[in-house]
């Protein structure tokens, strides 16, 4: 299977920055990697994702503040978070997807999550 390990979360004051990292341990190529977040009492939502080809998808709520990128090995993904706001506080989960064209199936993998706390 695919193992995803996140790091970089922590406590930061509003207006500060954090950089999240996710490393995937897998022999498979990943079709997409990205970040979701879930705040207490809310559903998990997509923050940003990036395909193997470099196409990005960023939520409107974080556009202009967050940047998603992948490492050279294509099994790592980063989320640079600037101008953090209290509403950004959540558990952030790394996500990876593998698409099987022959089986017409997609497989989703999740990290354990890393806590981001933003104080006002």
């Amino acid at each position: 299977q695919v193992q995803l390990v996140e790091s970089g979360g922590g406590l930061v004051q509003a207006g500060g920055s954090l950089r999240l990292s996710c490393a995937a341990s897998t022999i498979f190529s990943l079709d997409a990697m990205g970040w979701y977040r879930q705040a207490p009492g809310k559903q998990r939502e997509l923050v940003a994702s990036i395909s193997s080809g470099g196409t990005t998808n960023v939520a409107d709520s974080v556009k202009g503040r967050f940047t998603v990128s992948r490492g050279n090995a294509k099994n790592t993904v980063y989320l640079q978070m600037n101008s953090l706001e209290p509403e950004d506080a959540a558990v952030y989960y790394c996500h990876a997807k593998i698409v099987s064209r022959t089986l017409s199936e997609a497989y989703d993998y999740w990290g354990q999550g890393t806590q981001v706390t933003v104080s006002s």
Side-chain angles (χ1 to χ4, degrees), residues 35-74:
W35 297 91
Y36 289 71
R37 68 185 182 187
Q38 186 168 24
K42 298 182 179 180
Q43 289 194 323
R44 188 172 300 184
E45 63 177 355
L46 174 69
V47 179
S49 65
I50 184 168
S51 71
S52 59
T55 301
T56 60
N57 183 23
V58 183
D60 290 339
S61 60
V62 303
K63 281 184 178 178
R65 299 187 297 118
F66 292 10
T67 303
V68 64
S69 61
R70 293 185 71 167
N72 294 333
K74 304 299 181 183

Side-chain angles (χ1 to χ4, degrees), residues 99-116:
V99 177
S100 175
R101 305 296 182 184
T102 57
L103 296 178
S104 299
E105 186 63 80
Y107 303 90
D108 296 289
Y109 302 91
W110 299 91
Q112 81 286 352
T114 184
Q115 178 71 53
V116 172

